[in-house]
Amino acid sequence: MANCFVGDVQGCYDDLRRLLDMAGFDPAHDTLWLAGDLVARGPDSLAVLRYAHSLGERAVCILGNHDLHLLAVAEGVAPLKKKDRLHDLMEAPDRDALLDWLRHRPLLAESEHPTRPVLMVHAGLPPSWDVATARRCAREVETLLRGDQYSWLLHHMYGDQPDAWHEGLLGIERYRYIINSFTRMRFCHLDGRLDFKCKLGPDESTPGLRPWFELRTRRDEDPILVFGHWAALMGNTGRDHIKALDTGCVWGNSLTLWRQEDDALFSTPCPAYAR
């Protein structure tokens, strides 16, 4: 039994299946962990959602920014982005069932491995959050997404403020900060405030900004942290306990899988999507 973690698929269904074959993934015994952004700019987001849904409990999928945007589009909150290739999904006969399944996915998921526990998020964890705070904040927003305030949350989640965390944040400001941290964060200012303007790699960033993981203080009890979202990292954080899995499949680079049990990495090139 293996736990296989994959970065941003973004609708690249054929590449996902090829990568799973390379890793010997067996849906009868193994579990597939998808680190958000299942959909958007690749050629077959519909097939990716159908496949993940078909795996039942053998697939653990979290929400990324593109997944949340898809839900907002379906709710009439926002238009499709020009680069998104989601029309087949939006017109599919099983669209409503797939989107309802998607909105019930978490923002944070954990593998309870006896010796190497793993926590998976899409973008990261703010420097000021410990794991307990991250769990609590994820559950707050997940409850809204799954409840009667679903549409209200989607209507009000867009925006870059507030950019600093404190426990006194209330209402939509609190929820927006949580969503942005889990699904959009890359760089932080040195005082921990979130930055959403810079999307470059760490070596190209403007002065005064640091990758969020460089500002986190490692705690002995921290699990291995797995995330996606940041293709410019190309899988490199410089930290064994923090694994970046978005290696830019949809940009013509590669799709990457990390197998937890033996710390093995698998990667398949995706030149068809080169921009």
Side-chain angles (χ1 to χ4, degrees), residues 13 28 43 45 54 85 95 110 115 120 132 153 167 174 201 213 229 239 275:
Y13 174 72
S45 293
S54 73
R85 302 165 69 180
R95 171 195 120 152
E110 297 180 79
T115 59
M120 180 175 70
L153 181 64
E167 281 291 351
R174 182 180 181 91
F213 50 82
H229 185 59
R239 290 154 176 78
R275 306 292 173 93

Side-chain angles (χ1 to χ4, degrees), residues 48-82:
V48 172
L49 284 189
R50 283 174 172 167
Y51 178 64
H53 181 265
S54 73
L55 291 176
E57 294 183 357
R58 291 298 181 183
V60 179
C61 310
I62 58 173
L63 291 166
N65 52 303
H66 285 287
D67 307 314
L68 286 173
H69 184 69
L70 168 62
L71 294 174
V73 169
E75 195 67 15
V77 174
L80 282 174
K81 296 179 179 179
K82 291 182 179 180

Side-chain angles (χ1 to χ4, degrees), residues 3 5 23 116 256-266:
N3 288 287
F5 293 78
R116 304 183 74 200
T256 295
L257 178 151
W258 172 64
R259 192 166 60 202
Q260 179 181 5
E261 283 65 28
D262 58 356
D263 201 26
L265 278 175
F266 299 85

Side-chain angles (χ1 to χ4, degrees), residues 32-38 56 59-65 67-68 71 99-111 119-123 134-135 137-146 178-179 182-183:
L32 173 62
W33 298 70
L34 295 175
D37 281 3
L38 281 69
V60 179
C61 310
I62 58 173
L63 291 166
N65 52 303
D67 307 314
L68 286 173
L71 294 174
L99 294 183
D100 185 67
W101 171 83
L102 186 64
R103 81 175 177 109
H104 284 79
R105 298 310 95 200
L107 288 169
L108 174 155
E110 297 180 79
S111 166
L119 184 151
M120 180 175 70
V121 293
H122 178 60
R135 289 190 188 110
C137 288
R139 301 296 94 89
E140 288 181 34
V141 171
E142 290 161 10
T143 298
L144 294 175
L145 286 171
R146 299 167 185 177
I178 293 170
I179 290 171
F182 278 124
T183 67

Side-chain angles (χ1 to χ4, degrees), residues 21-258:
D21 287 344
M22 288 174 58
F25 176 76
D26 181 356
H29 304 285
D30 303 332
T31 301
L32 173 62
W33 298 70
L34 295 175
D37 281 3
L38 281 69
V39 304
R41 297 177 178 176
D44 207 341
S45 293
L46 176 58
V48 172
L49 284 189
R50 283 174 172 167
Y51 178 64
H53 181 265
S54 73
L55 291 176
E57 294 183 357
R58 291 298 181 183
V60 179
C61 310
I62 58 173
L63 291 166
N65 52 303
H66 285 287
D67 307 314
L68 286 173
H69 184 69
L70 168 62
L71 294 174
V73 169
E75 195 67 15
V77 174
L80 282 174
K81 296 179 179 179
K82 291 182 179 180
K83 294 182 179 180
D84 286 347
R85 302 165 69 180
L86 297 170
H87 294 286
D88 289 348
L89 170 55
M90 298 302 290
E91 297 174 1
D94 52 348
R95 171 195 120 152
D96 290 345
L98 291 172
L99 294 183
D100 185 67
W101 171 83
L102 186 64
R103 81 175 177 109
H104 284 79
R105 298 310 95 200
L107 288 169
L108 174 155
E110 297 180 79
S111 166
E112 297 180 356
H113 193 275
T115 59
R116 304 183 74 200
V118 173
L119 184 151
M120 180 175 70
V121 293
H122 178 60
L125 297 182
S128 61
W129 283 4
D130 59 16
V131 172
T133 300
R135 289 190 188 110
R136 177 164 45 83
C137 288
R139 301 296 94 89
E140 288 181 34
V141 171
E142 290 161 10
T143 298
L144 294 175
L145 286 171
R146 299 167 185 177
D148 295 339
Q149 291 183 285
Y150 167 63
S151 182
W152 171 84
L153 181 64
L154 294 179
H155 273 85
H156 294 90
M157 70 176 178
Y158 292 99
D160 294 344
Q161 295 295 324
D163 60 1
W165 172 257
H166 59 88
E167 281 291 351
L169 283 176
L170 298 173
I172 192 58
E173 289 194 340
R174 182 180 181 91
Y175 305 138
R176 188 184 297 127
Y177 180 92
I178 293 170
I179 290 171
N180 283 342
S181 296
F182 278 124
T183 67
R184 296 180 60 211
M185 179 176 61
R186 291 184 180 92
F187 286 102
C188 292
H189 296 272
L190 298 182
D191 61 3
R193 289 179 296 114
L194 308 184
D195 173 85
F196 299 110
K197 295 180 181 179
C198 186
K199 299 182 180 180
L200 303 172
D203 297 334
E204 305 171 285
S205 67
T206 57
L209 297 178
R210 298 274 297 280
W212 61 266
F213 50 82
E214 290 188 5
L215 295 176
R216 284 189 62 81
T217 300
R218 186 178 184 184
R219 301 166 175 86
D220 290 340
E221 69 275 13
D222 282 356
I224 296 171
L225 184 56
V226 170
F227 71 102
H229 185 59
W230 198 347
L233 292 175
M234 287 304 294
N236 181 28
T237 67
R239 290 154 176 78
D240 291 339
H241 66 290
I242 299 181
K243 299 186 179 295
L245 293 183
D246 181 4
T247 49
C249 176
V250 80
W251 304 113
N253 294 317
S254 61
L255 189 65
T256 295
L257 178 151
W258 172 64

